[in-house]
Amino acid sequence: MTDSSALDLDPEDRKIVTLARSARARNGVPEGAAVRDETGRTYVAGTVSLDSLELSALRTAVAMAVASGAKSLEAAAVVTDAEDVPAADLAAVRDLGGPATPVHVAAPDGVLRLTVSAGRGEAGEPG
């Protein structure tokens, strides 16, 4: 677990935290997320909440990456009020990026709460 500012991240990871934060604020949604693929392209999304479709911001960003032809992920970030990453979100990142893919979780103010690997199992299990 990392309890520090996103400034402690490398510049590329800091960028996806910033993009996730801006998506959350711009769209007025509960979460913003961003993922970076194997070529360095980024995909940014917010929470999707329709009568017929509910997706977290992180699952939406992964779906956007897949739909755009990404073959893998280097990293993911989510900005949320939640304290942890739901297992379904980690599974989506793991499906595309593999179990070692880092997922950075930041508060709405940009403070990094924790970084977990996508290979972590159910909530509460070690990463």
Side-chain angles (χ1 to χ4, degrees), residues 18-47:
T18 299
L19 290 169
R21 188 174 179 213
S22 67
R24 181 183 185 272
R26 180 179 57 250
N27 297 323
V29 292
E31 297 178 338
V35 298
R36 184 176 62 250
D37 75 9
E38 75 284 359
T39 68
R41 291 179 296 186
T42 56
Y43 306 88
V44 182
T47 309

Side-chain angles (χ1 to χ4, degrees), residues 8-127:
D8 294 336
L9 296 172
D10 73 51
E12 292 301 312
D13 287 348
R14 192 167 51 241
K15 175 183 171 184
I16 61 173
V17 170
T18 299
L19 290 169
R21 188 174 179 213
S22 67
R24 181 183 185 272
R26 180 179 57 250
N27 297 323
V29 292
E31 297 178 338
V35 298
R36 184 176 62 250
D37 75 9
E38 75 284 359
T39 68
R41 291 179 296 186
T42 56
Y43 306 88
V44 182
T47 309
V48 173
S49 182
L50 301 172
D51 289 341
S52 63
L53 180 64
E54 295 276 336
L55 288 174
S56 70
L58 193 50
R59 283 181 276 163
T60 304
V62 170
M64 291 173 64
V66 170
S68 297
K71 303 294 182 211
S72 184
L73 294 179
E74 292 181 347
V78 62
V79 173
T80 179
D81 285 322
E83 296 294 322
D84 205 357
V85 184
D89 288 8
L90 291 175
V93 173
R94 184 173 56 247
D95 285 349
L96 186 57
T101 307
V103 179
H104 306 293
V105 182
D109 63 2
V111 172
L112 186 65
R113 284 198 182 121
L114 69 144
T115 296
V116 297
S117 71
R120 190 183 76 188
E122 294 298 317
E125 290 182 12

